[in-house]
Amino acid sequence: MRRSSTLILFAALAVGACSGGNIRSVSSYTAPAAPTVRHPSYDPFASPGSANAIWAPPVVNRNGTIVRPHDPGVLAGRPDYERAPWATGAAGGSTVAPPGTF
């Protein structure tokens, strides 16, 4: 009997410890504001499927090499996300560390 009451006491303490600390309700969390999109043809209120997307298949030239179609999104390069003003802490907190490292 003594052992079962001790187990019940420890179980009550363990469950009672969960009522505080890092446990919060979902409504207490706030997300940061999303960055604004600075693209001339982006319309966030456009209906689905209304974007002017033109697909072109890859073709084979006379040498037998597959040639990728001209796609400005691919050929423009990758945006500099590491040095973007909204990328807080992307350099790992150190100003000496190269961007994008941890």
Side-chain angles (χ1 to χ4, degrees):
M1 181 71 173
R2 175 128 174 110
R3 184 177 179 150
S4 64
S5 64
T6 307
L7 287 174
I8 291 173
L9 178 67
F10 282 127
L13 287 173
V15 172
C18 293
S19 65
N22 62 355
I23 299 176
R24 297 190 293 177
S25 66
V26 176
S27 62
S28 66
Y29 288 97
T30 56
T36 57
V37 178
R38 295 182 188 97
H39 196 275
S41 62
Y42 176 72
D43 182 12
F45 305 107
S47 61
S50 64
N52 188 12
I54 300 171
W55 180 81
V59 294
V60 178
N61 64 7
R62 293 181 185 209
N63 295 331
T65 307
I66 298 175
V67 179
R68 179 172 56 188
H70 178 75
D71 185 3
V74 174
L75 300 175
R78 180 180 174 275
D80 191 13
Y81 293 118
E82 289 83 12
R83 290 183 186 88
W86 51 264
T88 57
S94 173
T95 56
V96 182
T101 59
F102 296 103

